[in-house]
């Protein structure tokens, strides 16, 4: 048998294994008591260590009343996470630890300097070279090393609080050292700020003196340049020439408007006089007092003429005299209108002359303003330089006054304070007698139990023969002769190698149905099975039956009695039945059995029946279904929705999730699975690793590959692998598949058929019904 089969010959007797604990209880108890006693003695005699903690808060200490004007830093967070980590490193720096060590005189304590009161054992180890001489290290370094071993500085998560922990053999010293470290840290921060403040004041004093001189010189340059360039400043803080130009431009616009208005009015009066039109619509004519009086007289004459016309004729002297006066009035009105027109023309001419004068003055001022603009550029540059220096001087003066006042009053607030000073611890944090003793007792009990179990396991007393690992010896029963045994009923011995030499196009021999296929009186089924196993010729690729354990040894027979039996059809291609295939696997000790079914899903029954037969013989068997339709696993699980090999290849499940129990036998099965086949095939390289793991865990792994070829099953095989070709009908398809497998490196191919197999109703076997 294989190594896996041999390993199944024995099992661990759990009752015997755990009974060894009861048999060795005294030894276990003594061991536990000894270890517990040693732990109690160690905890009782160990040096007590005390721990205390001081908390420092990083917070803004500057008051709103003393904060410099315009400084808004108080509204911002003082430190972020990196800033707190930086302060942690500063607190644990060598400078602060040295100050604390000198202040408290730690170098005089044996706890911090091992050279004080050194034991004889330590001196001997130093002389032998087994221990470094502490005298080679300076005293300060020895003290700092011990302090760092006992010091723990860390930032409290999500806060700006820094915790300073220190452990010591003296409880008072354990509380004094973290307080001294915190005080030294705050004092160092204050000293750093005072030093920075003094340095700032010393820097600003000479800078202010230089800037004052520079500002004075810059302002003098501005005044001299303005006087030299005649850049007089007007009322609107602008150059005088530019201001005059603006005023003349306004006056020119007004004069031009008046001239245009006078010319327009004169043209209107002229046109009215020339065309004989009415002058009543002209405002300038109506505004004349003389014309108004003449108009009034004209209206009176017209009224008198109208009154006289009612009693007198047109040629009456009075009427003619009145009409003559009316004509004179019209002539006078037109004469006055012409005078008004001449006055308007003269007004327009005066406005035009004024406009010409203003235009000349504007042109003169334009040239002066352009020249002033060019000179203003240089003036602006000098003014900007003077303004910048003046602003910088004012800033320096403000900062200097602030720094000088803080330096004189010695007021430099530090952005840190002690929020929780250390208190003297009353109880040591080490050793804790209860937990140490309890842990020692539990660990010693566990070690003693494990040692006892391993000792019992390795001695072999906890082992027992595995169920079904070996067949019980039985008495041999003489086999009765077969009745009506015809020559044609003997099993033909063609082997798989002959199939390889036979052309694929050659016709297969027909299955002959002769008298041997008819009901004949034969011995009992058990007797026939035993006789058939004993007298059958070797099949293709199978080991001689003399080397295998016959199935007759596993199934004791009763006395043979003649019964009527339907004889199985004779072998056509040298195929074997399910029982012979199971015997071949058991006898050869194969670790893997690969079944190829070229006829499709129906032929997959051979793998299922063989796996169940080998499992019933007492071996651990697993069937791996690699068919596309799940034809091999569905009859064993009654469903195709279980996770299987595709889930394992796609990393969506583990071995424990994809291995299921057969509903009708002790065999295990891995179905096809529910994962995406395309994704699973991307990890096909993992299949040999999976096969190796399954071969280690099981005595036999049966793989149903469906209609696969030699290349498809190449990665499934190993040294102890048997390849079977499952067939239902001996047709050309089966022959071609067998020939291809033989030609591609599988000469020991074995043909197996599930036809005619009747599972025996042995006790302990579950019925498929």
């Amino acid at each position: 048998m294989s190594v896996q089969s041999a390993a199944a010959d024995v099992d661990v007797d759990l009752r015997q294994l755990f009974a060894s604990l009861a048999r060795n209880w005294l030894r276990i108890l003594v061991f536990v008591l000894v270890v517990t006693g040693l732990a109690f003695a160690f905890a009782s005699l160990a040096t007590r260590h005390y721990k205390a903690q001081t908390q420092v808060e990083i917070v803004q200490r500057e008051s709103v009343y003393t904060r410099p004007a315009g400084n808004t830093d108080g509204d911002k967070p003082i430190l972020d996470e990196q800033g707190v980590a930086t302060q942690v490193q500063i607190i644990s720096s060598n400078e602060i630890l040295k100050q604390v060590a000198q202040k408290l005189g730690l170098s005089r304590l044996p706890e911090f300097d091992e050279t004080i009161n050194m034991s004889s054992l330590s001196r001997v180890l130093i002389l032998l070279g087994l221990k470094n001489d502490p005298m080679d290290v300076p005293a300060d370094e020895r003290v700092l090393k011990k302090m760092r071993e006992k010091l723990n500085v860390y930032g409290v998560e999500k806060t700006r609080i820094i915790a300073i922990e220190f452990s010591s053999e003296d409880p008072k010293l354990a509380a004094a050292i973290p307080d001294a470290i915190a005080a030294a840290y705050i004092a160092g921060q204050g000293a750093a700020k005072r030093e920075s403040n003094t340095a700032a004041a010393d820097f600003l004093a000479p800078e202010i003196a230089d800037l004052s001189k520079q500002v004075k010189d810059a302002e003098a340059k501005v005044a001299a340049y303005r006087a030299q360039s005649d850049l007089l400043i007007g009322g609107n803080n602008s150059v005088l020439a530019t201001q005059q130009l603006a005023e003349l431009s306004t006056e020119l616009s007004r004069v031009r408007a008046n001239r245009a208005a006078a010319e327009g009015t004169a043209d209107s009066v002229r046109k009215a006089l020339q065309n004989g039109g009415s002058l009543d619509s002209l405002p300038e004519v109506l505004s004349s007092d003389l014309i108004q009086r003449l108009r009034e007289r004209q209206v009176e004459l017209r009224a008198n003429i109208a009154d006289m016309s009612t009693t007198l004729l047109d040629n009456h002297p009075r009427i003619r005299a009145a009409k003559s006066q009316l004509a004179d009035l019209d002539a006078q009105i037109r004469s006055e209108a012409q005078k008004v027109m001449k006055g308007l023309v003269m007004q327009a001419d005066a406005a035009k002359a004024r406009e010409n004068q203003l235009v000349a003055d504007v042109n003169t001022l334009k040239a002066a303003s352009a020249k002033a603009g060019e000179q203003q550029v240089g003036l602006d540059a000098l003014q900007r330089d003077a303004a910048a220096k003046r602003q910088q001087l004012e800033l320096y003066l403000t900062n200097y006054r602030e720094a000088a006042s803080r330096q004189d009053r010695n007021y430099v607030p530090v952005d840190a304070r002690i929020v929780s000073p250390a208190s003297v611890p009353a109880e040591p944090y080490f050793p804790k007698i209860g937990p140490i003793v309890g842990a020692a007792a539990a660990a010693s009990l566990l070690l003693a139990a494990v040692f006892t179990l391993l000792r019992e396991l390795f001695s072999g007393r906890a082992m027992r023969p595995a169920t079904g690992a070996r067949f019980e010896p039985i008495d041999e029963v003489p086999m009765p002769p077969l009745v009506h045994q015809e020559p044609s009923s003997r099993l033909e011995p063609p082997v798989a190698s002959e199939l390889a030499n036979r052309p694929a196009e050659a016709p297969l021999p027909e299955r002959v149905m002769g008298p041997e296929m008819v009901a004949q009186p034969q011995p009992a089924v058990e007797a026939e099975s035993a006789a058939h196993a004993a007298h059958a010729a070797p099949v293709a690729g199978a080991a001689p039956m003399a080397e295998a354990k016959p199935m007759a040894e596993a199934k004791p027979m009763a006395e043979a009695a003649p019964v009527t039996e339907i004889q199985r059809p004779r072998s056509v291609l040298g195929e074997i039945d399910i029982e012979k295939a199971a015997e071949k696997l058991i006898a050869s000790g194969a670790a893997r059995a690969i079944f190829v079914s070229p006829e499709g899903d129906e032929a997959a029954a051979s793998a299922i029946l063989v796996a169940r037969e080998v499992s019933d013989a007492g071996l651990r068997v697993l069937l791996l279904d690699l068919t596309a339709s799940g034809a091999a696993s569905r009859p064993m699980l009654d469903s195709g929705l279980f996770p299987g090999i595709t889930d394992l290849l796609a990393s969506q499940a583990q071995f424990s999730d994809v291995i299921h129990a057969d509903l009708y036998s002790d065999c295990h099965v891995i179905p096809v699975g529910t994962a995406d086949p395309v994704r699973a095939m991307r990890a096909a390289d993992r299949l040999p690793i999976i096969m190796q793991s399954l071969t280690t865990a099981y005595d036999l792994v049966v793989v149903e590959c469906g209609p696969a070829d030699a290349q498809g099953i190449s990665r499934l095989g190993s040294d102890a692998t048997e390849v079977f070709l499952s067939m239902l009908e001996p047709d050309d398809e089966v022959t071609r598949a067998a020939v291809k497998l033989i030609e591609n490196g599988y000469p020991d191919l074995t043909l197996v058929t599930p036809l005619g197999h009747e599972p025996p109703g042995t006790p302990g076997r579950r019925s498929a019904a």
Side-chain angles (χ1 to χ4, degrees):
M1 284 194 176
S2 64
V3 177
Q4 292 82 0
S5 301
D9 292 343
V10 292
D11 282 339
V12 178
D13 191 349
L14 296 180
R15 179 179 298 178
Q16 178 70 17
L17 181 63
F18 287 101
S20 62
L21 298 177
R23 293 195 302 268
N24 297 277
W25 68 270
L26 182 59
R27 181 182 303 172
I28 296 174
L29 180 61
V30 170
F31 178 75
V32 171
L33 291 178
V34 170
V35 174
T36 304
L38 293 176
F40 179 78
F42 168 78
S44 301
L45 299 177
T47 303
R48 294 325 191 242
H49 290 270
Y50 300 86
K51 180 181 291 185
Q53 182 186 89
T54 300
Q55 291 184 348
V56 178
E57 181 186 10
I58 307 299
V59 63
Q60 181 66 257
R61 300 293 304 278
E62 184 69 65
S63 173
V64 294
Y65 304 105
T66 60
R67 188 178 303 158
N71 187 0
T72 59
D73 293 342
D75 300 333
K76 301 178 181 178
I78 183 171
L79 285 178
D80 55 3
E81 184 177 355
Q82 288 78 13
V84 173
T86 302
Q87 300 305 313
V88 168
Q89 296 300 321
I90 293 175
I91 291 175
S92 58
S93 63
N94 291 337
E95 185 65 26
I96 292 180
L97 295 183
K98 286 181 179 179
Q99 294 178 13
V100 174
Q102 293 175 1
K103 180 180 178 180
L104 300 179
L106 300 182
S107 59
R108 298 189 299 270
L109 301 177
E111 181 181 356
F112 295 92
D113 191 353
E114 59 181 339
T115 61
I116 303 175
N117 298 332
M118 186 182 298
S119 63
S120 302
L121 178 60
S122 298
R123 297 180 184 277
V124 172
L125 293 177
I126 293 173
L127 292 176
L128 295 177
L130 301 178
K131 182 179 180 181
N132 295 329
D133 189 359
M135 297 299 295
D136 297 338
V137 182
D140 293 341
E141 295 296 330
R142 295 196 299 268
V143 174
L144 287 178
K145 180 180 179 181
K146 286 295 182 182
M147 290 184 69
R148 289 192 177 278
E149 292 176 357
K150 299 173 179 295
L151 179 65
N152 182 22
V153 182
Y154 60 92
V156 180
E157 187 177 2
K158 296 182 180 180
T159 65
R160 294 189 181 90
I161 293 179
I162 298 176
I164 306 173
E165 287 184 353
F166 196 85
S167 62
S168 175
E169 300 175 4
D170 185 0
K172 295 182 179 181
L173 193 61
I177 290 179
D179 285 344
I181 292 176
Y185 164 70
I186 294 177
Q189 294 294 99
K193 279 200 168 186
R194 285 192 295 272
E195 181 180 356
S196 176
N197 191 65
T198 302
D202 295 340
F203 165 76
L204 290 175
E207 286 292 324
I208 290 173
D210 293 341
L211 277 177
S212 299
K213 184 178 179 181
Q214 293 176 9
V215 169
K216 184 177 179 180
D217 295 340
E219 291 178 347
K221 289 181 181 179
V222 170
Y225 187 85
R226 181 180 286 114
Q228 179 182 359
S229 303
D230 196 17
L231 296 176
L232 300 178
I233 303 300
N236 296 329
N237 198 21
S238 59
V239 180
L240 185 59
T242 304
Q243 185 177 357
Q244 291 176 352
L245 178 61
E247 294 175 355
L248 286 179
S249 297
T250 304
E251 181 67 17
L252 178 61
S253 299
R254 186 184 63 80
V255 170
R256 284 178 176 175
N258 293 336
R259 179 183 61 79
E263 290 178 351
T265 304
D267 290 340
S268 299
V269 174
R270 184 183 297 108
K271 291 180 180 178
L273 292 175
Q274 291 176 358
N275 297 331
S278 176
L279 299 175
D280 296 339
S281 60
L282 297 175
E284 289 77 7
V285 176
L286 294 177
S287 62
S288 175
D289 295 337
L290 180 57
I291 294 176
Q292 291 296 329
R293 288 194 299 270
L294 292 175
R295 283 292 184 188
E296 292 175 358
R297 180 59 183 165
Q298 190 179 27
V299 171
E300 291 177 358
L301 288 175
R302 285 179 180 176
N304 292 333
I305 292 172
D307 290 340
M308 289 187 294
S309 296
T310 58
T311 58
L312 301 177
L313 296 175
D314 292 337
N315 293 324
H316 191 276
R318 292 177 61 186
I319 293 177
R320 292 176 64 185
K323 289 183 177 180
S324 176
Q325 292 179 3
L326 183 62
D328 292 338
L329 290 174
D330 289 337
Q332 290 180 5
I333 290 174
R334 288 185 174 277
S335 176
E336 289 298 327
Q338 289 179 355
K339 291 180 181 179
V340 171
M341 180 188 68
K342 290 179 180 180
L344 291 174
V345 171
M346 292 177 65
Q347 184 180 356
D349 293 341
K352 185 174 183 181
R354 175 64 178 163
E355 179 184 357
N356 294 333
Q357 182 63 34
L358 289 176
V359 169
D361 294 341
V362 167
N363 292 333
T364 303
L365 289 176
K366 280 184 178 180
S369 179
K371 182 178 180 181
E374 295 177 357
Q375 295 173 348
Q376 185 67 30
V377 174
L379 179 63
D380 291 342
L382 294 176
Q383 287 179 342
R384 284 194 300 271
D385 183 55
K389 291 181 179 179
R390 186 183 304 108
Q391 184 179 4
Q392 187 176 8
L393 176 61
E394 293 175 355
L395 178 61
Y396 276 13
L397 285 172
T398 302
N399 293 338
Y400 178 74
R401 286 192 294 268
E402 178 69 22
S405 62
R406 289 175 180 267
Q407 185 177 5
D408 296 339
R409 299 296 180 181
N410 196 20
Y411 176 73
V412 183
V414 180
D415 297 332
R417 67 187 183 95
I418 298 177
V419 294
S420 177
S423 58
V424 179
E427 295 182 358
Y429 84 96
F430 178 84
K432 300 291 186 182
I433 298 179
I436 292 177
V437 172
S444 60
L445 179 61
L446 179 62
L447 290 176
V450 171
F451 176 78
T452 303
L453 293 176
L454 292 177
R455 182 179 174 215
E456 188 73 12
L457 187 64
F458 291 149
S459 65
R461 293 189 294 270
M463 298 297 180
R464 61 179 175 81
T467 303
R470 58 176 62 90
F471 300 105
E472 298 295 335
I474 58 174
D475 298 333
E476 294 186 0
V477 179
M479 306 308 297
L482 295 177
V483 181
H484 297 288
Q485 183 71 24
E486 298 293 337
S488 60
S489 64
R490 292 193 306 267
L491 294 176
E492 297 180 1
V495 294
S497 58
E498 298 177 1
L499 289 175
N501 299 325
R502 174 182 169 273
E505 293 79 6
L508 293 172
E510 297 291 338
R511 186 182 294 271
V512 180
M513 299 295 295
E516 64 275 11
M517 305 294 290
V518 190
Q520 300 289 344
Q522 294 292 341
V525 176
E526 292 82 356
E528 189 274 339
S529 177
H532 185 71
H535 299 288
V539 294
M545 295 305 295
E547 300 178 2
K549 293 184 179 180
M551 295 298 292
E553 294 180 8
K555 301 177 182 178
M557 299 181 300
E559 292 184 8
V563 295
T564 303
E565 179 194 47
I566 302 298
Q567 183 175 343
R568 297 192 182 115
R570 64 187 180 88
S571 174
V572 176
L573 297 178
E575 70 274 10
I576 62 176
D577 55 11
I578 300 301
E579 288 81 0
K580 290 296 194 310
E583 292 176 6
K584 175 180 176 62
L585 291 174
I586 296 173
S588 63
R592 303 179 189 179
I594 300 176
F595 281 79
V596 180
S597 303
E599 295 175 282
D601 294 346
E602 295 181 357
S606 299
I608 302 174
L609 297 175
V610 170
R612 289 176 175 174
E613 284 292 330
V614 178
S615 176
D616 289 343
L619 300 183
R620 294 191 300 270
V621 182
L622 180 134
L623 186 141
L624 176 59
D625 188 0
L626 295 182
T627 61
S629 60
S633 58
R634 189 177 291 109
M636 306 176 74
L637 301 176
D638 289 346
S639 176
L641 301 178
F642 291 95
I645 185 64
T646 57
D647 300 271
L648 190 61
L649 290 174
S651 300
Q652 297 179 359
Q654 300 179 355
F655 277 102
S656 58
D657 300 326
V658 302
I659 298 177
H660 310 279
D662 182 15
L663 297 177
Y664 311 110
S665 71
D666 295 331
C667 180
H668 289 175
V669 59
I670 297 181
V672 177
T674 58
D676 184 10
V678 177
R679 181 181 177 184
M681 288 307 298
R682 294 173 184 168
D685 294 337
R686 298 174 52 196
L687 196 57
I689 302 175
I690 295 175
M691 289 294 298
Q692 183 63 33
S693 301
L694 296 176
T695 306
T696 305
Y698 289 88
D699 297 330
L700 176 64
V701 178
V702 179
V703 185
E704 173 57 46
C705 300
D709 53 7
Q711 183 179 2
I713 66 175
S714 60
R715 67 178 65 195
L716 302 175
S718 65
D719 295 337
T721 302
E722 294 287 343
V723 181
F724 293 88
L725 184 69
S726 180
M727 58 170 289
L728 297 176
E729 295 292 337
D731 51 9
D732 293 342
E733 182 180 6
V734 175
T735 304
R736 286 193 296 268
V739 170
K740 288 182 179 180
L741 288 175
I742 294 172
E743 292 176 348
N744 287 275
Y746 297 97
D748 296 332
L749 178 70
T750 303
L751 279 69
V752 60
T753 179
L755 298 178
H757 175 72
E758 294 293 337
T762 56
R765 186 181 185 112
R766 288 172 290 205
S767 174

